[in-house]
Amino acid sequence: MDSRLSVRDLWSLDSTVTFLNHGSFGACPKQVLEFQQKLRSQLEQEPLRFFGREWEPLLDDARSKLAMFVGADVQDLVFVPNATTGVNSVLRSLTFSPEDEILTTNHEYNACRNALDFVNSRTGARVVVAKIPFPIDSPQQVVGAVIERVSLKTRLALLDHVTSQTGLIFPIQELAKELQQRGVDTLVDGAHAPGMIPLELEEIGAAYYTGNCHKWLCAPKGAAFLYVRRDKHSEIRPLTISHGTNSPRTDKTRFQLEFDWTGTDDPTAYMSVPEAIAFMGSLLPGGWTELMQRNHQLVLQGRRLLCEALEVQPPCPEEMIGSMAVVPMPAMLENHDFMSIHDELFDKFGIQVQLIAWQEKPRLLVRISAQIYNTLEQYEYLAKVLKGLLSG
C-alpha cells in the first residue's frame, strides 16, 4: 500500500495519539480481530462441538503455519499465552541444585529475572549476571561478556534475542553455539523477535526458544510460542498439569499433548496467528522481508532525528537494531522521574513512547518503535517536543 494514512486506518489506534510504542504490547489490526471474533462466535454457538471436533484441527493448522514462519519443525512447537509463560515453563521444569549456576545478563527483562530469582530461592542455584556494556560498540562485546561468565557450574543461560530495555539484537546463534560447546543449554527469551527480524529456530540451535506473536506479528493478545529442541521434550512440562499427562493417545508427542490442553480457555488468539502472518505479509509488495526492512530503516531515521535534537550519540551500531531503538536522554534529565516525563508527553502532547530508567549512566532512555502505521513526521514531532522540554 502506498498511503500511510490508509495503513493506519487498518488498526483501531486512537487517531489523536502519536503512538510510538508498538514494542510494549503490539497492536492488532482490525481484520485480524474480526477473524478472531468469528472464531469466538463459532466456539460459543456450540462449545461442545468446538472443543470436541473443531478445536484441535484449528490449533494444529495454526501451529503448522507458525512453524513455517519461524523456521521450526512443527513437532517442536507449542502455544503459550506469552513469552514470560514460556520462560517460566522451562525454568520450572528443569531441576537445579545449590551447586548449579544460571547465567543471564544485566539487560534481561524484569519479569524473567524475577523468575530466575524465584528458582534461586527454591533451589539455591546461583544466578550469575554477565554485564553487557551500554552504550555498546559491537555484537562481539555481548559474546565476550557472556562467555567470560561461564563456569564449570553453569547449567543454563537465559538470554534475550532482542532486549526490551535497550532494544539490542543479541548475536543469539553465535551465543548458543559457543555455550553448547561448553556444555551449557540456552533458553532464549525471544519476546520481540518474531515479526521484527527473520527467524530460523532450527539454525539458531538453542535448546529452548520462546517468542510472542502479539507484538511484531500483530496477532491478538495472548498468543505466543515455546520451541523445545527434540532431545529436550521429555524434560519440559507446562505450568498447569492437565489431561495430557495420562492421555492414551500415541498420534502426538507427550510434549504437545500436555501443552495443547491445560484446561478450558479461549484458544482463538492462537488460531488467529496465521491470519496475522498473512495480513501483515500482504501490506507491501515484498511481503514480510520488505516490511521488516521498512520498519528497520524507519526506526533508524527516527533515532537519527532524536540524537540530533537531543545532541547525543547513538548508543549502538545500526546492525544491532531491529525495529526498536533506544536513545539516551541528556544528562540534565537523568535525575527526573521518568514516569512524570512519560505522563507529560502523553497528557500534554499526545505522544505514547516508552521511557526507561537504566541502571547506570545514561540513567534515562527513550525507546521508539517503528511499525508500518508509523511515519517519519511522528518522530520529528517527538524530537521537537523533547527538545522543547530541554530548553524549558
Side-chain angles (χ1 to χ4, degrees):
M1 294 185 179
D2 294 327
S3 171
R4 291 175 180 176
L5 290 176
S6 66
V7 169
R8 186 182 176 91
D9 290 342
L10 299 174
W11 272 260
S12 302
L13 293 166
D14 187 340
S15 61
T16 66
V17 174
T18 300
F19 190 72
L20 299 175
N21 191 13
H22 185 92
S24 282
F25 300 107
C28 189
K30 296 175 185 177
Q31 180 173 312
V32 180
L33 290 173
E34 290 168 1
F35 180 87
Q36 183 187 27
Q37 186 54 47
K38 290 179 182 178
L39 287 171
R40 282 176 166 159
S41 297
Q42 182 179 340
L43 187 164
E44 296 300 341
Q45 284 168 4
E46 225 302 355
L48 270 295
R49 181 180 63 202
F50 185 88
F51 284 115
R53 299 180 182 180
E54 299 165 351
W55 158 79
E56 193 167 26
L58 287 168
L59 191 73
D60 286 343
D61 180 66
R63 177 176 19 232
S64 177
K65 289 170 180 171
L66 176 61
M68 187 178 303
F69 186 81
V70 299
D73 190 298
V74 70
Q75 294 185 57
D76 300 329
L77 212 64
V78 291
F79 284 106
V80 290
N82 48 65
T84 303
T85 299
V87 167
N88 275 269
S89 297
V90 174
L91 291 178
R92 299 289 296 277
S93 294
L94 299 177
T95 302
F96 298 99
S97 74
E99 287 73 41
D100 294 328
E101 293 180 350
I102 307 173
L103 178 60
T104 191
T105 78
N106 58 326
H107 293 241
E108 185 54 52
Y109 185 55
N110 179 65
C112 297
R113 176 55 203 260
N114 286 341
L116 288 178
D117 290 342
F118 177 84
V119 171
N120 163 259
S121 70
R122 288 297 181 92
T123 70
R126 178 173 172 243
V127 179
V128 176
V129 179
K131 186 175 180 180
I132 310 297
F134 188 80
I136 191 169
D137 296 322
S138 77
Q140 286 307 308
Q141 287 180 277
V142 179
V143 178
V146 170
I147 298 305
E148 184 181 26
R149 298 308 305 272
V150 175
S151 77
L152 294 176
K153 296 182 178 181
T154 309
R155 281 276 317 284
L156 180 74
L158 169 59
L159 303 173
D160 284 342
H161 197 165
V162 181
T163 65
S164 177
Q165 298 178 85
T166 49
L168 300 175
I169 300 175
F170 281 0
I172 206 67
Q173 185 167 339
E174 183 177 356
L175 284 165
K177 180 180 178 181
E178 291 287 342
L179 288 164
Q180 191 65 48
Q181 290 175 350
R182 292 162 174 79
V184 178
D185 286 331
T186 303
L187 165 56
V188 182
D189 177 0
H192 284 277
M196 178 191 284
I197 54 179
L199 280 182
E200 291 292 338
L201 297 187
E202 290 190 353
E203 289 185 14
I204 288 173
Y208 319 101
Y209 191 111
T210 185
N212 286 321
C213 300
H214 69 262
K215 289 183 183 286
W216 299 95
L217 275 183
C218 293
K221 309 297 182 286
F225 67 85
L226 173 63
Y227 164 89
V228 175
R229 206 173 59 207
R230 195 73 51 86
D231 60 305
K232 301 293 182 178
H233 280 196
S234 62
E235 300 178 14
I236 306 304
R237 311 286 298 279
L239 294 177
T240 301
I241 301 302
S242 187
H243 294 295
T245 299
N246 63 349
S247 170
R249 291 175 56 176
T250 58
D251 58 318
K252 284 190 172 182
T253 64
R254 186 68 48 192
F255 171 61
Q256 290 189 336
L257 288 171
E258 286 203 306
F259 273 91
D260 284 0
W261 185 272
T262 57
T264 305
D265 61 7
D266 182 351
T268 58
Y270 302 154
M271 297 167 182
S272 301
V273 169
E275 180 72 11
I277 293 173
F279 176 81
M280 295 299 293
S282 73
L283 295 178
L284 295 171
W288 272 100
T289 298
E290 184 178 354
L291 178 61
M292 292 180 191
Q293 291 174 349
R294 182 259 182 204
N295 290 343
H296 173 66
Q297 291 301 322
L298 180 60
V299 87
L300 290 179
Q301 289 178 288
R303 184 178 79 153
R304 195 173 303 119
L305 286 168
L306 290 182
C307 286
E308 290 172 358
L310 300 176
E311 299 181 358
V312 296
Q313 293 298 314
C316 70
E318 294 183 355
E319 66 179 301
M320 297 187 75
I321 291 177
S323 46
M324 291 194 306
V326 164
V327 173
M329 296 286 269
M332 64 181 295
L333 291 177
E334 284 185 356
N335 295 322
H336 283 59
D337 174 30
F338 76 99
M339 282 307 300
S340 67
I341 298 176
H342 171 273
D343 291 346
E344 182 176 2
L345 287 172
F346 183 74
D347 296 335
K348 187 175 181 180
F349 301 99
I351 298 173
Q352 184 64 267
V353 70
Q354 184 79 346
L355 291 178
I356 296 162
W358 187 236
Q359 54 207 250
E360 55 189 49
K361 290 189 176 183
R363 296 288 183 183
L364 186 60
L365 311 173
V366 56
R367 190 192 76 189
I368 56 174
S369 297
Q371 187 49 275
I372 191 170
Y373 53 72
N374 291 124
T375 66
L376 188 61
E377 290 74 21
Q378 292 177 316
Y379 305 101
E380 291 173 342
Y381 176 50
L382 173 62
K384 179 182 177 181
V385 169
L386 288 177
K387 191 171 184 179
L389 291 180
L390 287 174
S391 61

